[in-house]
Amino acid sequence: MIPKNHPRYESLILREKIKKAHKEGYLAESGMIAHGRGEAFDYLLGEKTIETAYKSIEVGVACLLLAKKSVISVNGNNTALAIENIIELANITNSKIEINLFYRTAKRVSIIKDLFKKYGYYNILGTDDEKLKYINSIDSPRATASEKGIYSADVVLVSLEDGDRTEILTKSGKKVIAIDLNPLSRTAQTADITIVDNIVRAIPLMIDLAKKYKLKSDDCLKNLVNDFSNEDNLKSSLKSIEIKE
């Protein structure tokens, strides 16, 4: 039992969720390593949402609301950490949810599908191997996508994602919003909008903004997206994690 007065209580709780997901069989061992890497960057951020992340969250929400066909990509890590919030964000922004796993097994897919059902989401995509297509005919497990979901989407939200798949998605003409604690990762560098924040903070903020921004005009939302520079965003994010003596 982790005492609530522990100075890093929240971080340790997230670590326990990741360990539990691995024990339950839907998170690969490499997912535990990825979480540890993200945890290190979060520590450098002060385990808080930095100012530049708020701006990219705002733009990401605007992009989701403007999309004709948006999809939220899920894997073992983000399922373990934020399943309820992912479902809520999908419902508010009229986005679909699709399972996409690099270390894909029928067992992992089945467990994640059942977990989403447990929380009231029954139409998750990416569960049928025979119906998956390869984006741009790239023969890699990271390029697979549901024809009704990511394959035909115009906007995709990824989090705790593989960099080369993010690159594949952007090269295929999709606008990619990434939640990634490491502004130097290939995911962060190749996405159109990078939210340098912890998913457990970022998605609740996205939910709150989406509720408000649904009332804004399309022109207002388009201005937010068009005025955004991810290059400047990443530079500002890096300045926020400089280690000062």
Short mmCIF file of all heavy atoms in Angstrom, two decimals, residues 5 9 26 43 72 82 85 110 112 128 130 140 154 162 164 186 197 213 217 227 238:
data_model
loop_
_atom_site.label_atom_id
_atom_site.label_comp_id
_atom_site.label_asym_id
_atom_site.label_seq_id
_atom_site.Cartn_x
_atom_site.Cartn_y
_atom_site.Cartn_z
N ASN A 5 0.51 10.31 1.49
CA ASN A 5 1.37 11.45 1.77
C ASN A 5 2.77 11.29 1.16
O ASN A 5 3.65 12.11 1.40
CB ASN A 5 1.47 11.71 3.27
CG ASN A 5 2.11 10.54 4.02
OD1 ASN A 5 2.34 9.47 3.45
ND2 ASN A 5 2.39 10.74 5.31
N TYR A 9 3.30 10.14 -4.84
CA TYR A 9 2.18 9.21 -4.76
C TYR A 9 1.54 8.95 -6.13
O TYR A 9 1.36 7.79 -6.53
CB TYR A 9 1.13 9.74 -3.78
CG TYR A 9 -0.15 8.92 -3.74
CD1 TYR A 9 -0.19 7.73 -3.01
CD2 TYR A 9 -1.28 9.34 -4.42
CE1 TYR A 9 -1.35 6.98 -2.97
CE2 TYR A 9 -2.46 8.59 -4.38
CZ TYR A 9 -2.48 7.41 -3.65
OH TYR A 9 -3.63 6.66 -3.63
N TYR A 26 -2.15 -7.72 -21.10
CA TYR A 26 -2.43 -6.89 -22.27
C TYR A 26 -1.38 -5.80 -22.49
O TYR A 26 -1.49 -5.02 -23.44
CB TYR A 26 -3.83 -6.28 -22.20
CG TYR A 26 -4.10 -5.27 -21.11
CD1 TYR A 26 -3.93 -3.91 -21.35
CD2 TYR A 26 -4.57 -5.66 -19.85
CE1 TYR A 26 -4.21 -2.98 -20.37
CE2 TYR A 26 -4.85 -4.73 -18.87
CZ TYR A 26 -4.67 -3.39 -19.13
OH TYR A 26 -4.94 -2.46 -18.16
N TYR A 43 9.22 13.71 -14.67
CA TYR A 43 9.93 14.21 -13.48
C TYR A 43 10.64 15.52 -13.79
O TYR A 43 10.63 16.47 -13.00
CB TYR A 43 10.93 13.15 -13.01
CG TYR A 43 11.50 13.41 -11.64
CD1 TYR A 43 10.75 13.20 -10.49
CD2 TYR A 43 12.80 13.88 -11.49
CE1 TYR A 43 11.28 13.43 -9.23
CE2 TYR A 43 13.35 14.12 -10.24
CZ TYR A 43 12.57 13.89 -9.11
OH TYR A 43 13.09 14.14 -7.87
N ILE A 72 -9.16 7.81 -32.17
CA ILE A 72 -8.22 7.76 -31.06
C ILE A 72 -7.60 6.36 -31.05
O ILE A 72 -8.32 5.36 -30.94
CB ILE A 72 -8.90 8.05 -29.72
CG1 ILE A 72 -9.52 9.45 -29.73
CG2 ILE A 72 -7.90 7.92 -28.57
CD1 ILE A 72 -10.34 9.77 -28.50
N ALA A 82 -5.65 5.38 -18.83
CA ALA A 82 -6.67 6.41 -19.08
C ALA A 82 -7.91 5.92 -19.82
O ALA A 82 -8.54 6.69 -20.54
CB ALA A 82 -6.02 7.55 -19.88
N ASN A 85 -11.18 8.09 -19.45
CA ASN A 85 -11.05 9.40 -20.07
C ASN A 85 -11.00 9.33 -21.59
O ASN A 85 -11.51 10.21 -22.28
CB ASN A 85 -9.78 10.10 -19.55
CG ASN A 85 -9.95 10.60 -18.13
OD1 ASN A 85 -11.04 10.97 -17.72
ND2 ASN A 85 -8.87 10.61 -17.38
N SER A 110 -8.03 -9.13 -27.36
CA SER A 110 -9.26 -9.57 -26.70
C SER A 110 -9.42 -8.93 -25.32
O SER A 110 -10.51 -8.48 -24.95
CB SER A 110 -9.27 -11.09 -26.58
OG SER A 110 -10.43 -11.53 -25.90
N ILE A 112 -8.09 -6.09 -24.19
CA ILE A 112 -8.35 -4.66 -24.31
C ILE A 112 -9.79 -4.42 -24.78
O ILE A 112 -10.49 -3.54 -24.26
CB ILE A 112 -7.34 -4.01 -25.27
CG1 ILE A 112 -5.95 -4.03 -24.64
CG2 ILE A 112 -7.75 -2.56 -25.61
CD1 ILE A 112 -4.83 -3.56 -25.56
N ASP A 128 -10.28 -7.24 -35.61
CA ASP A 128 -10.33 -8.36 -36.56
C ASP A 128 -9.10 -8.31 -37.46
O ASP A 128 -8.99 -7.45 -38.35
CB ASP A 128 -11.61 -8.27 -37.39
CG ASP A 128 -11.84 -9.51 -38.25
OD1 ASP A 128 -10.87 -10.28 -38.47
OD2 ASP A 128 -12.98 -9.72 -38.69
N GLU A 130 -8.18 -10.05 -39.93
CA GLU A 130 -8.44 -10.26 -41.35
C GLU A 130 -8.94 -9.00 -42.05
O GLU A 130 -8.86 -8.87 -43.28
CB GLU A 130 -9.45 -11.39 -41.54
CG GLU A 130 -8.92 -12.76 -41.10
CD GLU A 130 -9.93 -13.86 -41.33
OE1 GLU A 130 -11.03 -13.56 -41.82
OE2 GLU A 130 -9.60 -15.03 -41.03
N SER A 140 4.62 -3.56 -42.41
CA SER A 140 5.08 -3.49 -41.02
C SER A 140 3.88 -3.60 -40.12
O SER A 140 2.81 -3.06 -40.43
CB SER A 140 5.79 -2.15 -40.77
OG SER A 140 5.86 -1.90 -39.39
N ASP A 154 -9.13 11.26 -41.08
CA ASP A 154 -8.39 12.47 -41.46
C ASP A 154 -7.58 13.01 -40.27
O ASP A 154 -6.58 13.70 -40.45
CB ASP A 154 -9.32 13.54 -42.01
CG ASP A 154 -10.44 13.93 -41.06
OD1 ASP A 154 -10.69 13.19 -40.09
OD2 ASP A 154 -11.08 14.98 -41.29
N ASP A 162 4.54 4.49 -31.04
CA ASP A 162 5.78 4.22 -31.75
C ASP A 162 6.03 5.31 -32.80
O ASP A 162 5.13 5.67 -33.56
CB ASP A 162 5.71 2.86 -32.46
CG ASP A 162 5.54 1.72 -31.48
OD1 ASP A 162 6.38 1.61 -30.58
OD2 ASP A 162 4.57 0.96 -31.61
N ASP A 164 7.82 5.38 -35.62
CA ASP A 164 7.74 5.09 -37.04
C ASP A 164 6.29 4.99 -37.53
O ASP A 164 5.98 5.32 -38.66
CB ASP A 164 8.53 3.85 -37.43
CG ASP A 164 8.28 2.65 -36.56
OD1 ASP A 164 7.51 2.76 -35.61
OD2 ASP A 164 8.87 1.59 -36.83
N ARG A 186 10.74 10.55 -31.95
CA ARG A 186 10.31 10.64 -33.35
C ARG A 186 8.80 10.89 -33.43
O ARG A 186 8.33 11.57 -34.33
CB ARG A 186 10.67 9.36 -34.10
CG ARG A 186 10.37 9.45 -35.59
CD ARG A 186 11.32 8.66 -36.45
NE ARG A 186 11.55 7.33 -35.97
CZ ARG A 186 11.47 6.24 -36.76
NH1 ARG A 186 11.12 6.36 -38.02
NH2 ARG A 186 11.74 5.06 -36.28
N ASP A 197 3.05 16.20 -22.45
CA ASP A 197 2.39 16.10 -21.14
C ASP A 197 2.09 14.63 -20.85
O ASP A 197 2.13 13.78 -21.74
CB ASP A 197 1.10 16.91 -21.14
CG ASP A 197 0.59 17.24 -19.75
OD1 ASP A 197 1.33 17.00 -18.76
OD2 ASP A 197 -0.55 17.73 -19.62
N TYR A 213 -15.37 24.16 -26.38
CA TYR A 213 -15.07 24.54 -27.76
C TYR A 213 -16.08 24.00 -28.77
O TYR A 213 -16.09 24.44 -29.93
CB TYR A 213 -13.66 24.07 -28.13
CG TYR A 213 -12.57 24.98 -27.59
CD1 TYR A 213 -12.81 25.83 -26.51
CD2 TYR A 213 -11.30 25.01 -28.14
CE1 TYR A 213 -11.84 26.66 -25.99
CE2 TYR A 213 -10.31 25.84 -27.65
CZ TYR A 213 -10.59 26.66 -26.57
OH TYR A 213 -9.63 27.48 -26.07
N SER A 217 -17.31 28.59 -33.31
CA SER A 217 -17.50 28.45 -34.75
C SER A 217 -16.33 27.70 -35.38
O SER A 217 -15.22 27.68 -34.82
CB SER A 217 -17.62 29.82 -35.40
OG SER A 217 -16.38 30.52 -35.32
N ASP A 227 -2.76 28.83 -36.86
CA ASP A 227 -1.77 29.69 -36.23
C ASP A 227 -0.73 28.92 -35.40
O ASP A 227 0.19 29.51 -34.83
CB ASP A 227 -2.45 30.72 -35.31
CG ASP A 227 -3.25 31.75 -36.09
OD1 ASP A 227 -3.02 31.88 -37.30
OD2 ASP A 227 -4.13 32.40 -35.48
N LEU A 238 11.13 22.02 -24.88
CA LEU A 238 12.50 21.65 -24.50
C LEU A 238 13.08 22.63 -23.48
O LEU A 238 13.78 22.23 -22.55
CB LEU A 238 13.40 21.61 -25.73
CG LEU A 238 13.35 20.31 -26.55
CD1 LEU A 238 14.08 20.49 -27.88
CD2 LEU A 238 13.96 19.16 -25.77
#
